[in-house]
Amino acid sequence: MPGQKLRRARERLGLRYRDVEEASQKISRRHASDEFSIGLSRLADIENKGTLPSLYRLYSVCAIYRLDFKTVLSWYGVDLGQLPSDAATVPVNQTHSIGFEAHEVPQESFPLDLDPSLDLTRTSFLSRHLQRWGPLVPELLAGFDLRQQRYGFIGTADWSMYPILPPGSFVQIDESKRKIAANGWIDEFERPIYFIEHRAGFRCCWVSEIEDILIAHSHTASQTPPEIYRVSEVDVIGQVIGVAMRLDQGKRRHTSS
């Protein structure tokens, strides 16, 4: 119970109810608001009856007991680390900025160690290379379910789908969508992109299928020619349904060329 945790914190400091009341009054005067003040009976109710303190009184308690406000909120079932992921479940039609601070972005599990044989210049199927999980603030990967889904990495030297998928992008792959769509889109942004494995490695591309022939199409801007395979030579892992990308790769390409 959060009230019991607050009582133990008070007792560890040797504070009486009266001490907490007087200290809260000092904070109240400093902020020119009675909302920060905690009366004797209210403090007793918070500790013993599970009464929910107001935001202001909880702030005073944290200041007096030297407790981390974010931690105490979690005692009451409010996890600030869930703000970004909760926000992601609520669609907002208007374009808007994101006001979450870096410390509010939840730490998710992400592979810190990859297979030493993994060449990041080439497009790879990350799900085959994971060795160890560790914490990482997913600034680009918020909302990705790294354990349940499949993910690929567009090699840093792979410009075949640029500018739609720049090099260095992480892509989310839906393995249930392996059948090649022949139509149903109006432009290149709606056309399904597939993650495939072929005899020389992996590729992220548009795909068309004619009888037993599969054609891997690159973006025309990349000037990468299409590749033709027999269907039996290619494993369609799934359709790309999400991407986390950098937006400065075009400049990097011109700089390196």
Side-chain angles (χ1 to χ4, degrees):
M1 295 287 292
Q4 295 174 358
K5 292 181 179 180
L6 291 175
R7 184 182 69 244
R8 287 194 291 270
R10 176 179 60 79
E11 292 174 344
R12 281 195 297 268
L13 295 174
L15 297 174
R16 302 168 301 169
Y17 282 174
R18 177 67 65 185
D19 297 326
V20 176
E21 181 183 47
E22 293 175 354
S24 70
Q25 290 171 351
K26 291 181 180 179
I27 295 174
S28 177
R29 289 193 296 270
R30 187 169 186 270
H31 291 278
S33 172
D34 292 337
E35 297 289 346
F36 291 92
S37 181
I38 310 172
L40 297 177
S41 60
R42 179 51 58 93
L43 182 58
D45 288 344
I46 291 172
E47 289 186 358
N48 302 312
K49 296 183 179 179
T51 299
L52 185 67
S54 70
L55 183 66
Y56 301 97
R57 292 188 177 112
L58 191 62
Y59 175 91
S60 292
V61 166
C62 289
I64 297 165
Y65 298 173
R66 276 56 171 172
L67 296 173
D68 178 67
F69 189 69
K70 180 179 178 181
T71 299
V72 176
L73 280 178
S74 71
W75 295 350
Y76 285 93
V78 180
D79 183 359
L80 293 182
Q82 296 298 317
L83 269 175
S85 56
D86 284 338
T89 66
V90 183
V92 177
N93 293 332
Q94 298 297 322
T95 299
H96 58 284
S97 62
I98 304 297
F100 305 125
E101 298 293 338
H103 68 272
E104 293 173 350
V105 179
Q107 286 200 337
E108 302 290 351
S109 292
F110 188 74
L112 290 181
D113 287 348
L114 296 176
D115 187 334
S117 65
L118 178 61
D119 181 0
L120 292 181
T121 65
R122 303 182 63 185
T123 296
S124 308
F125 189 33
L126 286 182
S127 300
R128 292 187 183 172
H129 293 277
L130 308 186
Q131 291 186 330
R132 179 169 65 88
W133 294 91
L136 176 72
V137 176
E139 296 176 358
L140 295 177
L141 299 175
F144 278 16
D145 185 352
L146 294 168
R147 282 192 173 89
Q148 300 301 321
Q149 298 292 330
R150 294 292 178 264
Y151 295 86
F153 177 77
I154 307 300
T156 56
D158 184 351
W159 295 87
S160 60
M161 286 302 293
Y162 179 83
I164 292 181
L165 295 179
S169 298
F170 289 92
V171 292
Q172 185 179 18
I173 305 164
D174 186 344
E175 290 185 302
S176 69
K177 298 180 178 179
R178 303 178 64 182
K179 184 176 180 180
I180 305 301
N183 51 50
W185 59 87
I186 61 174
D187 56 35
E188 63 181 19
F189 296 102
E190 290 188 3
R191 184 174 182 177
I193 298 174
Y194 296 91
F195 200 88
I196 67 174
E197 182 176 8
H198 53 83
R199 55 182 175 269
F202 299 91
R203 184 165 179 177
C204 214
C205 55
W206 291 310
V207 176
S208 59
E209 191 173 358
I210 304 174
E211 296 182 352
D212 65 340
I213 298 297
L214 187 146
I215 306 174
H217 302 274
S218 300
H219 195 283
T220 54
S222 72
Q223 299 182 349
T224 303
E227 295 181 354
I228 300 175
Y229 307 95
R230 291 190 179 279
V231 171
S232 59
E233 298 175 330
V234 176
D235 180 17
V236 179
I237 295 175
Q239 182 180 327
V240 174
I241 60 171
V243 58
M245 68 174 71
R246 295 182 61 103
L247 296 178
D248 60 350
Q249 294 291 3
K251 182 178 180 181
R252 290 166 178 251
R253 184 181 195 183
H254 293 309
T255 301
S256 61
S257 59

